[in-house]
Short mmCIF file of all heavy atoms in Angstrom, two decimals:
data_model
loop_
_atom_site.label_atom_id
_atom_site.label_comp_id
_atom_site.label_asym_id
_atom_site.label_seq_id
_atom_site.Cartn_x
_atom_site.Cartn_y
_atom_site.Cartn_z
N MET A 239 -20.72 21.37 -37.50
CA MET A 239 -20.47 21.29 -36.11
C MET A 239 -19.09 20.57 -35.93
O MET A 239 -18.74 19.52 -36.53
CB MET A 239 -21.53 20.42 -35.47
CG MET A 239 -21.35 20.45 -33.88
SD MET A 239 -22.86 19.70 -33.19
CE MET A 239 -22.10 18.44 -32.37
N ARG A 240 -18.31 21.15 -34.98
CA ARG A 240 -16.99 20.60 -34.77
C ARG A 240 -17.02 19.56 -33.61
O ARG A 240 -17.77 19.74 -32.63
CB ARG A 240 -16.05 21.70 -34.27
CG ARG A 240 -15.54 22.55 -35.41
CD ARG A 240 -14.35 23.37 -34.82
NE ARG A 240 -13.24 22.98 -35.66
CZ ARG A 240 -12.07 23.71 -35.62
NH1 ARG A 240 -11.98 24.69 -34.95
NH2 ARG A 240 -11.15 23.29 -36.47
N LEU A 241 -16.23 18.62 -33.77
CA LEU A 241 -16.11 17.54 -32.74
C LEU A 241 -15.27 18.01 -31.59
O LEU A 241 -14.13 18.61 -31.83
CB LEU A 241 -15.71 16.21 -33.28
CG LEU A 241 -16.66 15.53 -34.24
CD1 LEU A 241 -15.91 14.31 -34.83
CD2 LEU A 241 -17.88 15.09 -33.52
N LEU A 242 -15.63 17.78 -30.36
CA LEU A 242 -14.73 18.14 -29.25
C LEU A 242 -13.65 17.12 -29.07
O LEU A 242 -12.54 17.56 -28.57
CB LEU A 242 -15.53 18.26 -27.96
CG LEU A 242 -16.64 19.31 -27.92
CD1 LEU A 242 -17.41 19.30 -26.64
CD2 LEU A 242 -15.95 20.66 -28.12
N VAL A 243 -13.87 15.91 -29.39
CA VAL A 243 -12.83 15.00 -29.24
C VAL A 243 -12.75 14.11 -30.47
O VAL A 243 -13.82 14.01 -31.31
CB VAL A 243 -13.07 13.92 -28.11
CG1 VAL A 243 -12.93 14.66 -26.71
CG2 VAL A 243 -14.44 13.31 -28.20
N ARG A 244 -11.65 13.46 -30.76
CA ARG A 244 -11.54 12.69 -32.07
C ARG A 244 -12.19 11.38 -31.75
O ARG A 244 -12.24 10.86 -30.74
CB ARG A 244 -10.11 12.52 -32.30
CG ARG A 244 -9.35 13.77 -32.60
CD ARG A 244 -7.92 13.66 -33.05
NE ARG A 244 -7.33 12.40 -32.79
CZ ARG A 244 -6.08 12.15 -32.57
NH1 ARG A 244 -5.25 13.15 -32.60
NH2 ARG A 244 -5.55 10.98 -32.36
N PRO A 245 -12.64 10.67 -32.85
CA PRO A 245 -13.31 9.42 -32.79
C PRO A 245 -12.43 8.35 -32.23
O PRO A 245 -12.97 7.50 -31.48
CB PRO A 245 -13.70 9.13 -34.27
CG PRO A 245 -13.74 10.41 -34.85
CD PRO A 245 -12.73 11.26 -34.27
N ASP A 246 -11.24 8.33 -32.47
CA ASP A 246 -10.39 7.28 -31.88
C ASP A 246 -10.23 7.44 -30.34
O ASP A 246 -10.09 6.45 -29.58
CB ASP A 246 -8.97 7.29 -32.49
CG ASP A 246 -8.20 8.54 -32.41
OD1 ASP A 246 -8.87 9.60 -32.42
OD2 ASP A 246 -6.98 8.48 -32.52
N THR A 247 -10.24 8.71 -29.86
CA THR A 247 -10.27 8.91 -28.42
C THR A 247 -11.54 8.29 -27.78
O THR A 247 -11.41 7.59 -26.71
CB THR A 247 -10.24 10.50 -28.11
OG1 THR A 247 -9.10 11.02 -28.78
CG2 THR A 247 -10.18 10.70 -26.64
N VAL A 248 -12.70 8.55 -28.44
CA VAL A 248 -13.92 7.88 -27.84
C VAL A 248 -13.86 6.38 -27.87
O VAL A 248 -14.18 5.70 -26.88
CB VAL A 248 -15.13 8.42 -28.70
CG1 VAL A 248 -16.44 7.69 -28.22
CG2 VAL A 248 -15.36 9.88 -28.58
N LEU A 249 -13.32 5.82 -28.83
CA LEU A 249 -13.10 4.37 -28.85
C LEU A 249 -12.18 3.88 -27.82
O LEU A 249 -12.42 2.85 -27.19
CB LEU A 249 -12.60 3.93 -30.35
CG LEU A 249 -13.56 4.05 -31.46
CD1 LEU A 249 -12.89 3.73 -32.78
CD2 LEU A 249 -14.76 3.10 -31.19
N ARG A 250 -11.15 4.63 -27.59
CA ARG A 250 -10.13 4.24 -26.61
C ARG A 250 -10.90 4.33 -25.20
O ARG A 250 -10.63 3.43 -24.26
CB ARG A 250 -8.95 5.23 -26.58
CG ARG A 250 -7.84 4.74 -25.48
CD ARG A 250 -6.56 5.64 -25.65
NE ARG A 250 -6.83 7.04 -25.70
CZ ARG A 250 -6.97 7.89 -24.71
NH1 ARG A 250 -6.95 7.45 -23.46
NH2 ARG A 250 -7.30 9.20 -24.94
N TRP A 251 -11.61 5.35 -24.87
CA TRP A 251 -12.44 5.47 -23.64
C TRP A 251 -13.32 4.27 -23.45
O TRP A 251 -13.41 3.70 -22.45
CB TRP A 251 -13.16 6.78 -23.59
CG TRP A 251 -12.41 8.05 -23.51
CD1 TRP A 251 -11.18 8.15 -23.07
CD2 TRP A 251 -12.89 9.30 -23.68
NE1 TRP A 251 -10.76 9.40 -23.06
CE2 TRP A 251 -11.83 10.30 -23.43
CE3 TRP A 251 -14.11 9.88 -24.16
CZ2 TRP A 251 -11.89 11.57 -23.61
CZ3 TRP A 251 -14.22 11.22 -24.25
CH2 TRP A 251 -13.15 12.12 -24.02
N HIS A 252 -13.97 3.91 -24.57
CA HIS A 252 -14.88 2.77 -24.49
C HIS A 252 -14.14 1.51 -24.20
O HIS A 252 -14.52 0.60 -23.29
CB HIS A 252 -15.58 2.66 -25.79
CG HIS A 252 -16.71 1.48 -25.87
ND1 HIS A 252 -16.34 0.31 -26.27
CD2 HIS A 252 -17.90 1.35 -25.39
CE1 HIS A 252 -17.32 -0.48 -26.19
NE2 HIS A 252 -18.36 0.21 -25.60
N ARG A 253 -12.95 1.25 -24.90
CA ARG A 253 -12.18 0.00 -24.57
C ARG A 253 -11.71 0.05 -23.07
O ARG A 253 -11.66 -0.99 -22.35
CB ARG A 253 -10.93 0.06 -25.44
CG ARG A 253 -11.18 -0.45 -26.88
CD ARG A 253 -9.98 -0.80 -27.62
NE ARG A 253 -9.08 0.27 -27.57
CZ ARG A 253 -8.91 1.17 -28.53
NH1 ARG A 253 -9.80 1.19 -29.61
NH2 ARG A 253 -8.00 2.19 -28.43
N ASP A 254 -11.34 1.22 -22.59
CA ASP A 254 -10.94 1.27 -21.14
C ASP A 254 -12.05 0.95 -20.23
O ASP A 254 -11.83 0.23 -19.21
CB ASP A 254 -10.36 2.74 -20.91
CG ASP A 254 -9.03 2.93 -21.53
OD1 ASP A 254 -8.48 2.07 -22.02
OD2 ASP A 254 -8.64 4.11 -21.57
N VAL A 255 -13.24 1.47 -20.48
CA VAL A 255 -14.33 1.11 -19.64
C VAL A 255 -14.69 -0.37 -19.60
O VAL A 255 -14.90 -1.02 -18.52
CB VAL A 255 -15.59 1.92 -20.05
CG1 VAL A 255 -16.92 1.36 -19.45
CG2 VAL A 255 -15.41 3.37 -19.73
N ILE A 256 -14.69 -1.07 -20.79
CA ILE A 256 -14.93 -2.41 -20.88
C ILE A 256 -13.83 -3.12 -20.15
O ILE A 256 -14.15 -4.18 -19.49
CB ILE A 256 -15.02 -2.86 -22.44
CG1 ILE A 256 -16.24 -2.12 -23.05
CG2 ILE A 256 -15.10 -4.33 -22.53
CD1 ILE A 256 -17.60 -2.38 -22.44
N ALA A 257 -12.65 -2.82 -20.36
CA ALA A 257 -11.47 -3.54 -19.72
C ALA A 257 -11.50 -3.48 -18.13
O ALA A 257 -11.38 -4.38 -17.45
CB ALA A 257 -10.14 -3.03 -20.15
N ARG A 258 -11.92 -2.27 -17.69
CA ARG A 258 -12.15 -2.10 -16.24
C ARG A 258 -13.32 -3.00 -15.67
O ARG A 258 -13.15 -3.52 -14.62
CB ARG A 258 -12.30 -0.62 -15.83
CG ARG A 258 -11.03 0.05 -15.43
CD ARG A 258 -11.31 1.46 -14.98
NE ARG A 258 -11.67 2.09 -16.30
CZ ARG A 258 -12.04 3.30 -16.55
NH1 ARG A 258 -12.16 4.08 -15.58
NH2 ARG A 258 -12.25 3.75 -17.72
N ARG A 259 -14.36 -3.00 -16.41
CA ARG A 259 -15.52 -3.77 -16.00
C ARG A 259 -15.17 -5.24 -15.97
O ARG A 259 -15.49 -5.98 -14.97
CB ARG A 259 -16.70 -3.54 -17.00
CG ARG A 259 -17.97 -4.28 -16.50
CD ARG A 259 -19.05 -4.12 -17.41
NE ARG A 259 -19.40 -2.67 -17.75
CZ ARG A 259 -20.13 -2.17 -18.64
NH1 ARG A 259 -20.64 -3.11 -19.54
NH2 ARG A 259 -20.34 -1.00 -18.93
N HIS A 260 -14.47 -5.65 -17.02
CA HIS A 260 -14.03 -7.07 -16.99
C HIS A 260 -13.16 -7.44 -15.96
O HIS A 260 -13.16 -8.50 -15.20
CB HIS A 260 -13.42 -7.45 -18.32
CG HIS A 260 -13.01 -8.89 -18.43
ND1 HIS A 260 -13.78 -9.90 -18.53
CD2 HIS A 260 -11.67 -9.30 -18.48
CE1 HIS A 260 -13.11 -11.04 -18.50
NE2 HIS A 260 -11.86 -10.74 -18.52
N ALA A 261 -12.13 -6.53 -15.65
CA ALA A 261 -11.16 -6.81 -14.58
C ALA A 261 -11.83 -6.84 -13.23
O ALA A 261 -11.49 -7.65 -12.44
CB ALA A 261 -10.11 -5.63 -14.58
N SER A 262 -12.78 -6.00 -12.95
CA SER A 262 -13.33 -5.99 -11.70
C SER A 262 -14.26 -7.17 -11.43
O SER A 262 -14.37 -7.72 -10.27
CB SER A 262 -14.27 -4.71 -11.42
OG SER A 262 -15.31 -4.75 -12.31
N ARG A 263 -14.89 -7.74 -12.49
CA ARG A 263 -15.76 -8.92 -12.43
C ARG A 263 -14.83 -10.25 -12.21
O ARG A 263 -15.27 -11.14 -11.57
CB ARG A 263 -16.59 -9.16 -13.56
CG ARG A 263 -17.77 -8.13 -13.64
CD ARG A 263 -18.62 -8.32 -14.74
NE ARG A 263 -19.71 -7.34 -14.79
CZ ARG A 263 -20.55 -7.11 -15.79
NH1 ARG A 263 -20.46 -7.94 -16.81
NH2 ARG A 263 -21.41 -6.15 -15.65
N SER A 264 -13.68 -10.24 -12.80
CA SER A 264 -12.94 -11.40 -12.92
C SER A 264 -11.99 -11.48 -11.67
O SER A 264 -11.36 -12.47 -11.43
CB SER A 264 -12.09 -11.48 -14.10
OG SER A 264 -11.15 -10.52 -14.19
N ARG A 265 -11.82 -10.45 -10.89
CA ARG A 265 -10.99 -10.36 -9.77
C ARG A 265 -11.56 -11.23 -8.68
O ARG A 265 -12.81 -11.22 -8.37
CB ARG A 265 -10.94 -8.97 -9.23
CG ARG A 265 -9.90 -8.81 -8.11
CD ARG A 265 -9.72 -7.36 -7.62
NE ARG A 265 -9.85 -6.41 -8.71
CZ ARG A 265 -10.43 -5.26 -8.62
NH1 ARG A 265 -10.85 -4.77 -7.55
NH2 ARG A 265 -10.52 -4.45 -9.67
N PRO A 266 -10.81 -12.00 -7.84
CA PRO A 266 -11.35 -12.88 -6.80
C PRO A 266 -11.96 -11.96 -5.77
O PRO A 266 -11.43 -10.87 -5.48
CB PRO A 266 -10.16 -13.68 -6.40
CG PRO A 266 -8.95 -13.12 -6.97
CD PRO A 266 -9.40 -12.31 -8.16
N LYS A 267 -12.95 -12.50 -5.01
CA LYS A 267 -13.54 -11.62 -3.98
C LYS A 267 -12.75 -11.34 -2.93
O LYS A 267 -12.67 -10.22 -2.40
CB LYS A 267 -14.87 -12.31 -3.60
CG LYS A 267 -15.90 -12.60 -4.66
CD LYS A 267 -16.34 -11.23 -5.33
CE LYS A 267 -17.29 -11.64 -6.37
NZ LYS A 267 -17.21 -10.81 -7.58
N ARG A 268 -12.00 -12.33 -2.53
CA ARG A 268 -11.04 -12.11 -1.29
C ARG A 268 -9.88 -13.01 -1.47
O ARG A 268 -9.96 -14.24 -1.61
CB ARG A 268 -11.75 -12.58 -0.04
CG ARG A 268 -10.95 -12.24 1.13
CD ARG A 268 -11.89 -12.22 2.45
NE ARG A 268 -11.02 -11.77 3.38
CZ ARG A 268 -11.18 -12.06 4.71
NH1 ARG A 268 -12.20 -12.63 4.99
NH2 ARG A 268 -10.29 -11.62 5.66
N GLY A 269 -8.73 -12.35 -1.62
CA GLY A 269 -7.52 -13.21 -1.93
C GLY A 269 -6.74 -13.41 -0.63
O GLY A 269 -6.96 -12.80 0.33
N GLY A 270 -5.81 -14.32 -0.72
CA GLY A 270 -4.92 -14.65 0.26
C GLY A 270 -5.52 -15.67 1.32
O GLY A 270 -6.51 -16.23 1.13
N ARG A 271 -4.71 -15.73 2.45
CA ARG A 271 -5.10 -16.68 3.40
C ARG A 271 -6.21 -16.11 4.26
O ARG A 271 -6.27 -14.95 4.59
CB ARG A 271 -3.84 -16.84 4.27
CG ARG A 271 -3.99 -17.91 5.38
CD ARG A 271 -2.63 -18.02 6.08
NE ARG A 271 -2.76 -18.84 7.27
CZ ARG A 271 -1.67 -19.47 7.83
NH1 ARG A 271 -0.56 -19.16 7.39
NH2 ARG A 271 -1.89 -20.26 8.84
N PRO A 272 -7.12 -17.04 4.74
CA PRO A 272 -8.22 -16.59 5.66
C PRO A 272 -7.64 -16.06 7.01
O PRO A 272 -6.63 -16.53 7.36
CB PRO A 272 -9.02 -17.78 5.79
CG PRO A 272 -8.48 -19.00 4.92
CD PRO A 272 -7.16 -18.47 4.40
N ARG A 273 -8.37 -15.23 7.57
CA ARG A 273 -7.93 -14.67 8.85
C ARG A 273 -8.02 -15.75 9.95
O ARG A 273 -8.76 -16.70 9.91
CB ARG A 273 -8.79 -13.52 9.26
CG ARG A 273 -8.77 -12.29 8.41
CD ARG A 273 -9.44 -11.14 8.91
NE ARG A 273 -8.93 -10.87 10.20
CZ ARG A 273 -8.29 -9.64 10.42
NH1 ARG A 273 -8.28 -8.79 9.54
NH2 ARG A 273 -7.79 -9.43 11.54
N THR A 274 -7.09 -15.62 10.87
CA THR A 274 -7.03 -16.57 12.06
C THR A 274 -8.01 -16.20 13.04
O THR A 274 -8.13 -14.96 13.30
CB THR A 274 -5.59 -16.51 12.60
OG1 THR A 274 -4.63 -16.81 11.53
CG2 THR A 274 -5.38 -17.63 13.61
N VAL A 275 -8.57 -17.17 13.62
CA VAL A 275 -9.63 -16.85 14.66
C VAL A 275 -8.93 -16.16 15.79
O VAL A 275 -7.78 -16.59 16.15
CB VAL A 275 -10.30 -18.22 15.05
CG1 VAL A 275 -11.23 -17.94 16.15
CG2 VAL A 275 -10.93 -18.83 13.93
N HIS A 276 -9.66 -15.26 16.49
CA HIS A 276 -8.97 -14.53 17.56
C HIS A 276 -8.54 -15.35 18.68
O HIS A 276 -7.57 -15.15 19.30
CB HIS A 276 -10.03 -13.42 18.12
CG HIS A 276 -9.49 -12.56 19.15
ND1 HIS A 276 -8.48 -11.60 18.96
CD2 HIS A 276 -9.76 -12.49 20.45
CE1 HIS A 276 -8.19 -11.02 20.04
NE2 HIS A 276 -9.00 -11.56 20.97
N SER A 277 -9.32 -16.37 18.99
CA SER A 277 -8.94 -17.27 20.10
C SER A 277 -7.61 -17.95 19.89
O SER A 277 -6.83 -18.14 20.76
CB SER A 277 -10.03 -18.29 20.45
OG SER A 277 -10.29 -19.12 19.31
N ILE A 278 -7.48 -18.39 18.66
CA ILE A 278 -6.19 -19.05 18.23
C ILE A 278 -5.05 -18.15 18.32
O ILE A 278 -3.94 -18.42 18.82
CB ILE A 278 -6.33 -19.74 16.86
CG1 ILE A 278 -7.33 -20.81 16.92
CG2 ILE A 278 -4.91 -20.21 16.37
CD1 ILE A 278 -7.53 -21.43 15.51
N ARG A 279 -5.24 -16.86 17.95
CA ARG A 279 -4.14 -15.84 18.13
C ARG A 279 -3.76 -15.68 19.55
O ARG A 279 -2.61 -15.61 19.89
CB ARG A 279 -4.57 -14.53 17.47
CG ARG A 279 -4.48 -14.57 16.00
CD ARG A 279 -4.63 -13.22 15.50
NE ARG A 279 -6.12 -12.99 15.40
CZ ARG A 279 -6.74 -11.83 15.17
NH1 ARG A 279 -6.09 -10.65 15.03
NH2 ARG A 279 -8.05 -11.81 15.05
N ALA A 280 -4.76 -15.69 20.49
CA ALA A 280 -4.47 -15.57 21.84
C ALA A 280 -3.71 -16.79 22.39
O ALA A 280 -2.80 -16.60 23.28
CB ALA A 280 -5.82 -15.41 22.63
N LEU A 281 -3.98 -17.91 21.88
CA LEU A 281 -3.32 -19.10 22.35
C LEU A 281 -1.85 -18.98 21.89
O LEU A 281 -0.83 -19.43 22.65
CB LEU A 281 -3.92 -20.36 21.77
CG LEU A 281 -5.31 -20.72 22.21
CD1 LEU A 281 -5.81 -21.96 21.50
CD2 LEU A 281 -5.42 -20.90 23.72
N VAL A 282 -1.49 -18.58 20.67
CA VAL A 282 -0.23 -18.49 20.15
C VAL A 282 0.58 -17.46 21.00
O VAL A 282 1.80 -17.68 21.33
CB VAL A 282 -0.24 -18.17 18.69
CG1 VAL A 282 1.20 -17.84 18.22
CG2 VAL A 282 -0.88 -19.28 17.92
N LEU A 283 -0.06 -16.30 21.32
CA LEU A 283 0.59 -15.32 22.17
C LEU A 283 0.90 -15.82 23.53
O LEU A 283 2.04 -15.58 24.07
CB LEU A 283 -0.33 -14.04 22.30
CG LEU A 283 -0.36 -13.22 21.08
CD1 LEU A 283 -1.31 -12.14 21.28
CD2 LEU A 283 1.03 -12.77 20.62
N LEU A 284 0.03 -16.64 24.17
CA LEU A 284 0.32 -17.22 25.43
C LEU A 284 1.50 -18.16 25.37
O LEU A 284 2.36 -18.11 26.26
CB LEU A 284 -0.90 -18.02 25.95
CG LEU A 284 -0.80 -18.67 27.29
CD1 LEU A 284 -0.72 -17.62 28.37
CD2 LEU A 284 -2.01 -19.59 27.54
N ALA A 285 1.57 -18.93 24.29
CA ALA A 285 2.73 -19.83 24.17
C ALA A 285 4.03 -19.06 23.91
O ALA A 285 5.06 -19.48 24.40
CB ALA A 285 2.46 -20.85 22.99
N ARG A 286 3.94 -18.00 23.19
CA ARG A 286 5.14 -17.28 22.80
C ARG A 286 5.73 -16.49 24.09
O ARG A 286 6.82 -16.34 24.27
CB ARG A 286 4.90 -16.16 21.75
CG ARG A 286 5.05 -16.74 20.38
CD ARG A 286 5.11 -15.66 19.44
NE ARG A 286 5.03 -16.22 18.05
CZ ARG A 286 4.59 -15.57 17.01
NH1 ARG A 286 4.23 -14.38 17.13
NH2 ARG A 286 4.61 -16.10 15.83
N GLU A 287 4.78 -16.00 24.89
CA GLU A 287 5.21 -15.28 26.07
C GLU A 287 5.85 -16.23 27.12
O GLU A 287 6.50 -15.65 28.00
CB GLU A 287 4.00 -14.44 26.67
CG GLU A 287 3.50 -13.37 25.79
CD GLU A 287 2.18 -12.74 26.38
OE1 GLU A 287 1.67 -13.23 27.32
OE2 GLU A 287 1.71 -11.81 25.71
N ASN A 288 5.54 -17.46 27.03
CA ASN A 288 6.04 -18.43 28.05
C ASN A 288 6.66 -19.58 27.30
O ASN A 288 6.18 -20.69 27.28
CB ASN A 288 4.87 -18.89 28.93
CG ASN A 288 4.07 -17.68 29.61
OD1 ASN A 288 4.58 -16.98 30.39
ND2 ASN A 288 2.86 -17.54 29.16
N PRO A 289 7.83 -19.36 26.75
CA PRO A 289 8.56 -20.37 25.94
C PRO A 289 8.93 -21.62 26.84
O PRO A 289 9.15 -22.65 26.23
CB PRO A 289 9.68 -19.67 25.25
CG PRO A 289 10.03 -18.50 26.23
CD PRO A 289 8.64 -18.06 26.83
N SER A 290 9.18 -21.37 28.10
CA SER A 290 9.74 -22.49 28.96
C SER A 290 8.55 -23.46 29.44
O SER A 290 8.78 -24.50 29.82
CB SER A 290 10.39 -21.93 30.18
OG SER A 290 9.48 -21.28 30.96
N TRP A 291 7.23 -23.07 29.15
CA TRP A 291 6.14 -23.78 29.52
C TRP A 291 6.05 -24.97 28.50
O TRP A 291 6.23 -24.80 27.36
CB TRP A 291 4.83 -23.11 29.54
CG TRP A 291 4.74 -22.11 30.70
CD1 TRP A 291 5.70 -21.77 31.69
CD2 TRP A 291 3.56 -21.22 31.10
NE1 TRP A 291 5.27 -20.88 32.46
CE2 TRP A 291 3.92 -20.54 32.10
CE3 TRP A 291 2.37 -21.21 30.37
CZ2 TRP A 291 3.03 -19.60 32.73
CZ3 TRP A 291 1.48 -20.19 30.96
CH2 TRP A 291 1.82 -19.53 32.17
N GLY A 292 5.72 -26.16 29.05
CA GLY A 292 5.44 -27.26 28.10
C GLY A 292 3.99 -27.39 27.80
O GLY A 292 3.08 -26.57 28.08
N TYR A 293 3.68 -28.48 27.04
CA TYR A 293 2.26 -28.63 26.61
C TYR A 293 1.31 -28.66 27.73
O TYR A 293 0.24 -28.05 27.71
CB TYR A 293 2.27 -29.85 25.69
CG TYR A 293 0.86 -30.36 25.46
CD1 TYR A 293 0.01 -29.80 24.50
CD2 TYR A 293 0.28 -31.43 26.08
CE1 TYR A 293 -1.23 -30.15 24.30
CE2 TYR A 293 -0.89 -31.93 25.89
CZ TYR A 293 -1.73 -31.28 24.98
OH TYR A 293 -3.00 -31.71 24.77
N ARG A 294 1.74 -29.55 28.76
CA ARG A 294 0.77 -29.72 29.89
C ARG A 294 0.51 -28.44 30.65
O ARG A 294 -0.65 -28.23 31.05
CB ARG A 294 1.36 -30.80 30.79
CG ARG A 294 1.38 -32.21 30.13
CD ARG A 294 1.94 -33.27 31.23
NE ARG A 294 2.04 -34.44 30.57
CZ ARG A 294 1.14 -35.38 30.53
NH1 ARG A 294 0.00 -35.22 31.04
NH2 ARG A 294 1.42 -36.69 29.94
N ARG A 295 1.55 -27.66 30.84
CA ARG A 295 1.40 -26.46 31.59
C ARG A 295 0.43 -25.40 30.77
O ARG A 295 -0.47 -24.84 31.33
CB ARG A 295 2.69 -25.73 31.83
CG ARG A 295 2.69 -24.40 32.47
CD ARG A 295 2.45 -24.46 33.98
NE ARG A 295 2.24 -23.13 34.56
CZ ARG A 295 3.29 -22.46 35.06
NH1 ARG A 295 4.48 -22.90 35.21
NH2 ARG A 295 2.96 -21.25 35.61
N LEU A 296 0.63 -25.33 29.50
CA LEU A 296 -0.09 -24.45 28.67
C LEU A 296 -1.61 -25.02 28.66
O LEU A 296 -2.56 -24.19 28.77
CB LEU A 296 0.37 -24.42 27.19
CG LEU A 296 1.55 -23.59 26.92
CD1 LEU A 296 2.09 -23.78 25.48
CD2 LEU A 296 1.17 -22.17 27.16
N HIS A 297 -1.80 -26.31 28.60
CA HIS A 297 -3.13 -26.90 28.59
C HIS A 297 -3.83 -26.66 29.88
O HIS A 297 -4.99 -26.22 29.95
CB HIS A 297 -3.01 -28.43 28.40
CG HIS A 297 -4.34 -29.07 28.29
ND1 HIS A 297 -4.90 -29.71 29.26
CD2 HIS A 297 -5.21 -29.22 27.21
CE1 HIS A 297 -6.11 -30.22 28.89
NE2 HIS A 297 -6.28 -29.82 27.66
N GLY A 298 -3.07 -26.69 31.01
CA GLY A 298 -3.64 -26.42 32.34
C GLY A 298 -4.10 -24.95 32.51
O GLY A 298 -5.12 -24.64 32.96
N GLU A 299 -3.23 -24.01 31.97
CA GLU A 299 -3.53 -22.68 32.00
C GLU A 299 -4.73 -22.32 31.13
O GLU A 299 -5.58 -21.42 31.52
CB GLU A 299 -2.32 -21.76 31.59
CG GLU A 299 -1.14 -21.83 32.58
CD GLU A 299 -1.45 -21.18 33.91
OE1 GLU A 299 -2.27 -20.27 33.94
OE2 GLU A 299 -0.92 -21.71 34.90
N LEU A 300 -4.94 -22.95 30.07
CA LEU A 300 -5.99 -22.69 29.17
C LEU A 300 -7.28 -23.22 29.84
O LEU A 300 -8.31 -22.57 29.69
CB LEU A 300 -5.75 -23.26 27.73
CG LEU A 300 -4.75 -22.67 26.96
CD1 LEU A 300 -4.50 -23.51 25.71
CD2 LEU A 300 -5.10 -21.33 26.57
N LEU A 301 -7.11 -24.28 30.61
CA LEU A 301 -8.32 -24.82 31.31
C LEU A 301 -8.79 -23.81 32.39
O LEU A 301 -9.97 -23.61 32.52
CB LEU A 301 -8.11 -26.18 31.86
CG LEU A 301 -8.08 -27.29 30.92
CD1 LEU A 301 -7.59 -28.66 31.65
CD2 LEU A 301 -9.28 -27.50 30.18
N VAL A 302 -7.84 -23.19 33.05
CA VAL A 302 -8.15 -22.29 34.06
C VAL A 302 -8.84 -21.10 33.40
O VAL A 302 -9.75 -20.49 34.04
CB VAL A 302 -6.84 -21.82 34.81
CG1 VAL A 302 -7.11 -20.61 35.71
CG2 VAL A 302 -6.27 -22.93 35.59
N LEU A 303 -8.35 -20.68 32.33
CA LEU A 303 -8.95 -19.47 31.59
C LEU A 303 -10.34 -19.84 30.92
O LEU A 303 -11.04 -18.93 30.55
CB LEU A 303 -8.06 -19.06 30.45
CG LEU A 303 -6.78 -18.36 30.93
CD1 LEU A 303 -5.82 -18.09 29.80
CD2 LEU A 303 -6.95 -17.11 31.78
N GLY A 304 -10.68 -21.08 30.89
CA GLY A 304 -11.88 -21.52 30.31
C GLY A 304 -11.95 -21.66 28.77
O GLY A 304 -12.99 -21.64 28.12
N VAL A 305 -10.73 -21.91 28.25
CA VAL A 305 -10.66 -22.14 26.77
C VAL A 305 -10.69 -23.65 26.52
O VAL A 305 -9.93 -24.28 27.11
CB VAL A 305 -9.35 -21.44 26.22
CG1 VAL A 305 -9.24 -21.73 24.65
CG2 VAL A 305 -9.40 -19.98 26.51
#
């Protein structure tokens, strides 16, 4: 009976499968910086849209908005 593939090809396939399995298990679940909370992003946008407002004015507006 003739072999369809050479034995070294089968060994290479096996090494690739093992390497992929190891790489997927050792990869961190979630990389990078954690996401910013939506409310904090809204606050930053409010401050950016109104650069002439000071801390007290921003604080007052946030109290009006209920934040």
Side-chain angles (χ1 to χ4, degrees):
M239 184 169 122
R240 283 195 119 165
L241 292 175
L242 295 177
V243 292
R244 295 187 344 210
D246 57 335
T247 304
V248 174
L249 290 173
R250 183 175 45 88
W251 289 344
H252 183 263
R253 281 193 307 268
D254 290 347
V255 167
I256 298 300
R258 265 182 288 177
R259 183 183 304 163
H260 177 70
S262 67
R263 287 183 183 168
S264 65
R265 187 177 326 145
K267 301 299 179 221
R268 184 161 189 205
R271 182 178 179 161
R273 294 189 64 119
T274 306
V275 181
H276 182 70
S277 59
I278 294 176
R279 280 188 277 166
L281 297 177
V282 170
L283 288 176
L284 181 66
R286 275 196 188 152
E287 290 173 357
N288 305 295
S290 63
W291 289 5
Y293 165 77
R294 290 183 189 269
R295 174 82 187 263
L296 283 172
H297 186 260
E299 291 294 327
L300 292 174
L301 289 176
V302 170
L303 294 173
V305 177

